[in-house]
């Protein structure tokens, strides 16, 4: 099986801060998108069980250096390095053009990026290439017939099971594998291919601002006396004690109470 | 006009965030259409505040597969030729759908938005960057597909209105062989994370050195609720460190129900359960502060309560017989 893993270069989320003075983001440290690395780690573990050739494609921020020696010991064959302007649409079109003469059975990447939280690259690429796509995969296993089975979490507390006919594109969450860091700086053990690309300016016009929460205007208290309004906001409302609140007490525990408790629990679970 | 794709749970029940989505759409336009792509929901069970509702039915095998939704929505657009922004709530499935629709029509996609406002016929979409360390504002056109993070939609109240007009569309979705849905699999209480479970059990010092720990595990199994606990429970090695709930541990924001057993309810612990909807507390000290935070409190040694509570939950007799029992009827 030939696998292509797409790694996106991002600024590490932990290293970033909004500077209120300069009105921009500061302390930017470069790294690869975490969930993309989880996808690469998965291929390394897959290679131990089955035959696979793994290539990597790095989408690199134009002005930054990328650290390929971090990718040593992953068993990679070839590594393409492509400059990107951050537009997923243009990246997908460019990659699909590049892959016209290649035949990968599986294209893997992380589900979401740490910076923009965007998750459109892989689906876009799959539509360009005309292959199936499944995103946010939680567990992925190869089957003897060449298919893959995947679990994905769409609802909390439950998983959906799918079979994937190859070729396909799959994006994974960080649950897919445990990252193992290789100590020491080894030289890259793969062939590096620098891909030339003419970048255009991204089309979306946008501005970046300080973090700002969404503000909700809930019910405002209507009491005339300010002290009562204040008490209302603090949760000691005069009118809001309805029968659902805890005014009712009993001093012995009977079967009826337990049934009542059990019934409430079941009702809450159904909500 | 704004079109809202209504989020459903497994194709069978309307999710709470649907009401928030429709309320957001109402702020953008007076004309709101709800599109319900389902696999067996009854028309009478849907109460949504919209002007028009269009229902498309898929089979249970098709519903989890995005390409079937893309085909369904494309034919909805062809048949009814509706124009306007299309709003979704973000999830892996809707992410695939929005990208697929945008790729077909050549329009742009904006995923995981926080908020949308209207400014002179143009939409301004607010999004988070770097996990909330900055925000971006960008213009979107009215032909955009926009998905909103449901975390920002939860605060709207449920509407009890019925849609004005309801239409059903019949479709024949061509088979897609590449990705096939097999089945839904429930995570057991041992696998499920505290932050994603709908019911969580918390244990504290009160359960230490008592003979009824297995009862707690049985309750966990009956309710499919993972077990976490207080700092003291962690220090006494009743639970692993990563399952500590509170200011120095995790916050269980997603849970609807929290069952506190042998926990006094310190301010640090309550910090971890501040967003939980319903709390049941079992503690033998009537003065414990947890009783100020709970909806139902049982003052008793937990060893005495749990077997009876488990029996009541398991055989369901009592639950069925006194369905919707009032507080007075229970003598509470
Ligand atoms: C900086 C700091 C950070 C902290 N962070 C956290 C945090 O993140 N999370 C956290 O939980 N705590 C935290 N704490 C500790 C917190 O202050 C409390 O000490 C702790 O929450 C108490 O745990 P507990 O309720 O299990 O124990 P206790 O307070 O000892 O309560 C035990 C309760 O069990 C009851 N009981 C005893 N036997 C039974 C029985 N047989 N049946 C039923 N009930 C019984 C008792 O009546 C009592 O109310 C923090 C403290 C500090 C200083």
């Amino acid at each position: 099986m030939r696998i292509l893993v797409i790694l996106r270069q991002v600024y590490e989320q932990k290293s970033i801060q909004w500077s209120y003075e300069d009105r921009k983001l500061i302390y930017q440290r470069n790294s690869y998108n975490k969930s993309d690395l989880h996808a690469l780690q998965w291929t390394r573990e897959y290679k131990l069980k089955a035959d696979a050739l793994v290539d990597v494609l790095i989408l690199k921020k134009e002005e930054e250096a990328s650290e390929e020696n971090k990718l040593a010991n992953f068993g990679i064959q070839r590594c393409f390095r492509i400059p990107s302007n951050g537009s997923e649409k243009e990246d997908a079109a460019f990659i699909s053009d590049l892959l016209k003469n290649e035949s990968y059975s599986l294209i893997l990447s992380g589900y979401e990026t740490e910076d923009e939280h965007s998750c459109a690259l892989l689906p876009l690429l799959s539509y360009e290439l005309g292959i199936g796509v499944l995103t946010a995969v939680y567990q992925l296993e190869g089957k003897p017939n060449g298919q893959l089975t995947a679990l994905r979490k769409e609802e909390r507390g439950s998983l959906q099971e799918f079979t994937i006919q190859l070729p396909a594109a799959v994006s994974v969450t960080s649950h897919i594998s445990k990252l193992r860091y290789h100590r020491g700086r080894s030289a890259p053990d793969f062939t590096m291919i620098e891909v030339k690309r003419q970048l255009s300016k991204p089309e979306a016009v946008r501005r970046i601002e300080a973090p700002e929460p969404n503000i909700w205007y809930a019910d405002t208290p209507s009491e005339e006396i300010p002290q009562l309004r204040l008490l209302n906001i603090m949760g000691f409302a005069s009118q809001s004690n309805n029968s659902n609140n805890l005014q009712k007490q009993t001093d012995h525990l009977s079967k009826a109470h337990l049934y009542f408790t059990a019934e409430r629990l079941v009702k809450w679970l159904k909500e | 006009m704004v079109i809202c794709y209504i989020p459903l749970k497994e194709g069978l029940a309307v999710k709470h965030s649907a009401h928030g989505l429709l309320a957001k759409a109402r702020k953008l336009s007076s004309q709101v259409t709800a599109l319900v792509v389902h696999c067996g929901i009854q028309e009478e069970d849907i109460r949504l505040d919209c002007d028009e509702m269009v229902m498309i039915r898929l089979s249970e095998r098709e519903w989890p597969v995005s390409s079937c939704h893309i085909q369904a929505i494309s034919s909805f657009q062809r048949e009814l030729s509706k124009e306007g922004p299309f709003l979704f709530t973000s999830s892996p499935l809707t992410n695939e759908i929005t990208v697929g629709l945008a790729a077909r029509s050549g329009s742009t996609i904006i995923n995981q938005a926080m908020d949308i406002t209207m400014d002179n016929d143009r939409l301004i979409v607010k999004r988070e960057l770097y996990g909330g360390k900055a925000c971006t504002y960008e213009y979107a056109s009215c032909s955009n597909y926009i998905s909103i993070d449901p975390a920002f939609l939860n605060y709207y109240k449920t509407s009890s209105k019925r849609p004005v007009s309801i239409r059903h569309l019949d479709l024949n979705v061509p088979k897609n062989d590449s990705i096939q849905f097999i089945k839904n699999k429930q995570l057991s209480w041992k696998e499920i994370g505290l932050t994603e479970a709908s019911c969580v059990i918390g244990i504290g010092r009160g359960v230490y050195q008592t003979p009824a720990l297995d009862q707690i595990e049985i309750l966990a199994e009956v309710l499919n609720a993972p077990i976490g606990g207080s700092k003291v429970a962690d220090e006494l090695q009743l639970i692993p460190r990563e399952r500590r709930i509170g200011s120095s541990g995790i916050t269980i924001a997603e849970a609807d129900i929290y069952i506190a057993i042998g926990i006094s309810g310190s301010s640090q612990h309550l910090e971890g359960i501040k967003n939980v909807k319903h709390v049941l507390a079992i503690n033998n000290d009537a003065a414990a502060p947890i009783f100020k935070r709970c909806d139902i409190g049982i003052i008793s040694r937990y060893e005495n309560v749990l077997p009876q509570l488990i029996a009541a939950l398991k055989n369901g007799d009592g639950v069925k017989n006194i369905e919707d029992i009032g507080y007075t009827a229970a003598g509470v």
Side-chain angles (χ1 to χ4, degrees), chain A residues 116 135 156 159 165 246, chain B residues 96 127 178 185 254 294-295:
Chain A
E116 305 260 343
T135 60
R156 65 183 192 190
L159 294 171
Q165 190 90 50
L246 284 179
Chain B
E96 286 170 23
R127 293 182 66 227
S178 172
K185 186 180 160 210
E254 289 274 308
C294 69
D295 301 79

Side-chain angles (χ1 to χ4, degrees), chain A residues 129-147:
Chain A
L129 293 170
I131 58 177
V133 64
L134 193 67
T135 60
V137 167
Y138 180 88
Q139 201 179 313
L140 188 63
E141 265 165 39
K143 286 208 300 194
N145 61 2
Q147 288 184 339

Side-chain angles (χ1 to χ4, degrees), chain A residues 75-101:
Chain A
I76 301 168
Q77 278 231 316
R78 292 184 300 166
C79 176
F80 301 94
R81 195 163 55 184
I82 304 176
S84 158
N85 61 1
S87 155
E88 291 183 303
K89 216 169 150 186
E90 288 174 28
D91 286 344
F94 186 82
I95 298 172
S96 84
D97 229 29
L98 187 77
L99 300 185
K100 256 199 305 233
N101 302 324

Side-chain angles (χ1 to χ4, degrees), chain A residues 10-18 25 28 61 88-89 111-112 114-120 123-124 127 131-136 138-139 151-169 203-216 219 243-246 248-250 253-271, chain B residues 8-10 15 24 63-66 70 91-93 95-96 99-100 103 106-109 111-112 114-115 126-139 152-153 155-157 177-187 192 196-199 223 254-257 259 277-280 291 294-296 298 300 305 308-309 312-313 315 318-319 322-327 330-332:
Chain A
V10 292
Y11 295 123
E12 204 176 65
Q13 205 179 82
K14 269 192 245 153
S15 78
I16 267 197
Q17 263 181 18
W18 176 261
L25 288 163
Q28 302 176 336
K61 286 190 190 298
E88 291 183 303
K89 216 169 150 186
Y111 174 54
E112 204 184 277
E114 281 171 66
D115 50 2
E116 305 260 343
H117 306 287
S118 42
C119 28
L124 277 171
Y127 296 126
I131 58 177
V133 64
L134 193 67
T135 60
Y138 180 88
Q139 201 179 313
L151 292 179
R152 127 154 122 191
K153 205 181 260 180
E154 177 74 19
E155 305 293 340
R156 65 183 192 190
S158 81
L159 294 171
Q160 298 174 326
E161 188 181 329
F162 292 90
T163 57
I164 304 172
Q165 190 90 50
L166 299 176
E203 54 185 56
V205 185
R206 59 179 204 164
R207 60 173 209 277
I208 299 181
E209 291 281 340
E212 201 182 277
N214 284 356
I215 296 171
W216 303 86
D219 300 337
S243 68
N244 279 345
N245 278 359
L246 284 179
K248 314 282 166 70
Q249 283 189 10
T250 179
L253 190 65
S254 71
K255 256 207 154 62
H257 302 132
L258 282 160
Y259 280 145
F260 169 74
T261 310
E263 179 262 337
R264 279 291 128 141
L265 277 174
V266 173
K267 204 170 157 200
W268 290 341
L269 276 171
K270 281 189 196 146
E271 271 177 16
Chain B
L8 301 183
K9 190 167 189 275
E10 287 165 12
K15 282 191 188 172
K24 190 127 282 182
W63 195 85
V65 181
S66 61
I70 295 170
S91 78
L93 177 69
N95 172 44
E96 286 170 23
V99 177
S107 51
T108 42
I109 330 135
N111 274 328
Q112 324 250 51
M114 281 174 88
D115 201 8
K126 176 178 165 190
R127 293 182 66 227
E128 269 186 344
L129 282 188
Y130 296 97
K133 290 189 175 174
C135 285
T136 61
Y137 294 84
E138 57 193 283
Y139 283 116
F152 298 105
L153 289 173
Y155 294 91
Y156 286 102
K157 290 205 179 102
D177 292 324
S178 172
I179 309 285
Q180 278 193 353
F181 173 68
I182 306 297
K183 61 175 190 278
N184 272 320
K185 186 180 160 210
Q186 287 294 324
L187 286 174
I192 202 166
E196 56 176 338
S198 57
C199 178
L223 295 170
E254 289 274 308
D256 295 329
I257 308 170
I259 304 175
K277 262 200 235 156
H278 309 290
V279 177
L280 163 66
F291 288 122
C294 69
D295 301 79
I296 299 178
I298 300 177
S300 164
V305 180
Q308 300 179 57
L309 184 62
L313 278 167
N315 63 30
V319 177
I322 51 168
E323 187 74 52
D324 261 330
I325 189 172
Y327 282 77
V332 185

Side-chain angles (χ1 to χ4, degrees), chain B residues 102-121:
Chain B
R104 281 187 170 204
S105 64
S107 51
T108 42
I109 330 135
I110 301 180
N111 274 328
Q112 324 250 51
M114 281 174 88
D115 201 8
I116 308 174
T117 44
M118 191 67 109
D119 172 46
N120 291 336
D121 281 354

